[in-house]
Amino acid sequence: MRKLITFVGSTLVAIGLLSGMTVAADDARVMQEKQAAEMVDTTAYKKDGPYKIGVAAGYMGNSWVVFTLQHIRYEASLHDEITEVLVTDAAFNPTKQVADIEDLISKGVDLILYWPVDDKAIEGALQKAKEKGIPTINTGGGFVDSPSVTASVFIDQWNLGEMVARRLFQDMGGKGKIFAMLPIAGTTAAVDQLAALKEVMKEYPDIELLTAEYGDWNRAKAKQITENLLQKYPEIDGVFSPAGQMSIGVAEAFDEAGRLGEVVMSPGDEYNGWLKWVRANNQGGAVTFPTRVGQESLRLGMRILRGESVRKGMKVPSEYISPGAAGVYAEMDRPDDWWASELPEEWKPQ
């Protein structure tokens, strides 16, 4: 009887902790929605053109950011008052991104769009921009609530992760062992995607997370990591990988190990190599990660420079596309390192 009471007591404690964690996660989501809905007074940034736009890229080493930058350049071409777009590449180095932002400030840019290597590392540099009267817009990452960031134009990484996880678990029949392939460690994208995955796992007690790895949005790195995991784990039933660039590397590793038939791949995104794989294998599908976030970011920046009040967070929504429908978006005559996008043909990367 004492053992039974102890077990029941422990179970109640565990249930209480689980409920507390769920409430905490829900509270965080509600808080983020509230923060994103706040209106920003931009009168301090109002100025007449011409404008010089700065883009502080945390990295340019993957095709998604190349397409995102092209969206920025395309939107700039539609505004006669924009005379120049200056672009820096930190090459995944947070220290260099700090220096890049400071360099853009010294060159007299009127607006800074950026995607981070590490959000915390660049806060001080972004604050310097703010003190110089230069608005800063987080472009494409998760929502950032920071005094140094004027606004975020973001893809909701938590919502994306939740959609990907639910579809994966449904396709797996609600049970099995998985690993997660996430983007750059420490970024909002990686943190929110993992949090969403773990939140959905609470509804699927028969799903086991073996490990969470970071492939840096890099196909080759994701493949190498997966090769090591295949050596370590004799049973892997599913892969949570929202980024198609990494998903195709993961799938290649399974295929070359002769184990592709045993794994269920989650939805990826609009990366062309992944869409080709979806078309050939009729599984996975896509949850969109729109490259037009770059264009939306510059549009918001122009509103700020006109002194218009804007929301602190502007969400560019993701959508689920089934495997059958996703295959239609595959451009078979284009390279794998390509993205389905709404860019005019002349503005697509050459």
Side-chain angles (χ1 to χ4, degrees), residues 29 32-33 154-161 315-316 318:
R29 291 289 295 162
Q32 183 182 98
E33 292 288 343
F154 67 105
I155 297 165
D156 190 329
Q157 303 285 348
W158 201 100
N159 182 57
L160 180 146
K315 188 185 300 184
V316 179
S318 295

Side-chain angles (χ1 to χ4, degrees), residues 147-189:
S148 60
V149 179
T150 310
S152 295
V153 178
F154 67 105
I155 297 165
D156 190 329
Q157 303 285 348
W158 201 100
N159 182 57
L160 180 146
E162 180 187 31
M163 293 170 70
V164 170
R166 288 192 186 282
R167 182 57 54 175
L168 172 63
F169 298 165
Q170 289 169 18
D171 290 347
M172 292 176 64
K175 61 182 179 180
K177 298 179 179 181
I178 69 168
F179 71 80
M181 187 63 70
L182 301 166
I184 303 168
T187 60
T188 304

Side-chain angles (χ1 to χ4, degrees), residues 195-227:
L197 170 64
K198 290 182 176 180
E199 187 69 21
V200 178
M201 283 181 63
K202 294 172 186 177
E203 302 172 27
Y204 292 85
D206 293 327
I207 296 289
E208 178 186 352
L209 178 61
L210 298 170
T211 182
E213 303 291 335
Y214 298 90
D216 296 348
W217 279 301
N218 184 288
R219 178 176 180 164
K221 184 172 182 179
K223 181 178 180 180
Q224 182 179 38
I225 290 171
T226 303
E227 290 169 345

Side-chain angles (χ1 to χ4, degrees), residues 323-341:
V328 175
Y329 290 92
E331 298 184 56
M332 305 306 291
D333 59 338
R334 298 285 195 180
D336 285 358
D337 212 24
W338 194 260
W339 285 77
S341 76

Side-chain angles (χ1 to χ4, degrees), residues 278-292:
V278 171
R279 181 170 175 169
N281 293 274
N282 196 34
Q283 69 153 300
V287 173
T288 60
F289 201 78
T291 56
R292 65 181 174 85

Side-chain angles (χ1 to χ4, degrees), residues 67 70-71 74 291 295 341-349:
F67 271 76
Q70 286 303 106
H71 274 281
Y74 169 58
T291 56
Q295 190 167 357
S341 76
E342 301 168 5
L343 274 172
E345 191 65 31
E346 64 271 23
W347 284 96
K348 291 179 179 179

Side-chain angles (χ1 to χ4, degrees), residues 44-331:
Y45 302 118
K46 183 178 180 180
K47 61 169 63 177
D48 295 327
Y51 303 122
K52 187 185 297 185
I53 308 301
V55 180
Y59 44 91
M60 288 298 299
N62 69 55
S63 56
W64 186 86
V65 296
V66 172
F67 271 76
T68 298
L69 179 60
Q70 286 303 106
H71 274 281
I72 293 171
R73 286 174 167 152
Y74 169 58
E75 181 63 26
S77 74
L78 304 178
H79 298 269
D80 292 337
E81 64 271 36
I82 295 178
T83 58
E84 192 173 5
V85 177
L86 298 176
V87 181
T88 61
D89 177 10
F92 292 100
N93 185 330
T95 302
K96 186 177 186 305
Q97 190 168 27
V98 169
D100 287 345
I101 292 169
E102 292 175 347
D103 185 51
L104 290 173
I105 294 170
S106 70
K107 289 180 177 176
V109 297
D110 301 292
L111 170 71
I112 293 178
L113 312 181
Y114 76 94
W115 46 91
V117 181
D118 185 314
D119 288 298
K120 292 291 184 184
I122 61 173
E123 277 187 351
L126 294 173
Q127 182 62 32
K128 290 179 181 178
K130 178 182 177 181
E131 292 169 359
K132 292 286 187 178
I134 304 169
T136 60
I137 301 180
N138 175 37
T139 302
F143 174 73
V144 175
D145 182 40
S146 168
S148 60
V149 179
T150 310
S152 295
V153 178
F154 67 105
I155 297 165
D156 190 329
Q157 303 285 348
W158 201 100
N159 182 57
L160 180 146
E162 180 187 31
M163 293 170 70
V164 170
R166 288 192 186 282
R167 182 57 54 175
L168 172 63
F169 298 165
Q170 289 169 18
D171 290 347
M172 292 176 64
K175 61 182 179 180
K177 298 179 179 181
I178 69 168
F179 71 80
M181 187 63 70
L182 301 166
I184 303 168
T187 60
T188 304
V191 172
D192 285 0
Q193 287 179 20
L194 182 58
L197 170 64
K198 290 182 176 180
E199 187 69 21
V200 178
M201 283 181 63
K202 294 172 186 177
E203 302 172 27
Y204 292 85
D206 293 327
I207 296 289
E208 178 186 352
L209 178 61
L210 298 170
T211 182
E213 303 291 335
Y214 298 90
D216 296 348
W217 279 301
N218 184 288
R219 178 176 180 164
K221 184 172 182 179
K223 181 178 180 180
Q224 182 179 38
I225 290 171
T226 303
E227 290 169 345
N228 294 334
L229 295 179
L230 286 165
Q231 294 290 326
K232 184 176 182 179
Y233 298 108
E235 180 184 349
I236 302 173
D237 304 299
V239 177
F240 172 86
S241 177
Q245 295 165 273
M246 296 190 290
S247 300
I248 188 63
V250 171
E252 286 172 340
F254 271 92
D255 190 27
E256 291 173 10
R259 293 174 60 178
L260 185 60
E262 72 186 50
V263 70
V264 176
M265 295 294 297
S266 75
D269 50 31
E270 308 98 305
Y271 180 72
N272 199 42
W274 173 247
L275 294 178
K276 291 178 182 177
W277 189 91
V278 171
R279 181 170 175 169
N281 293 274
N282 196 34
Q283 69 153 300
V287 173
T288 60
F289 201 78
T291 56
R292 65 181 174 85
V293 70
Q295 190 167 357
E296 297 294 345
S297 184
L298 182 52
R299 286 174 177 169
L300 186 70
M302 296 303 289
R303 290 180 58 199
I304 291 171
L305 292 174
R306 291 193 294 266
E308 298 178 20
S309 293
V310 300
R311 288 168 61 104
K312 199 168 189 179
M314 175 185 172
K315 188 185 300 184
V316 179
S318 295
E319 299 175 7
Y320 171 68
I321 304 175
S322 69
V328 175
Y329 290 92
E331 298 184 56

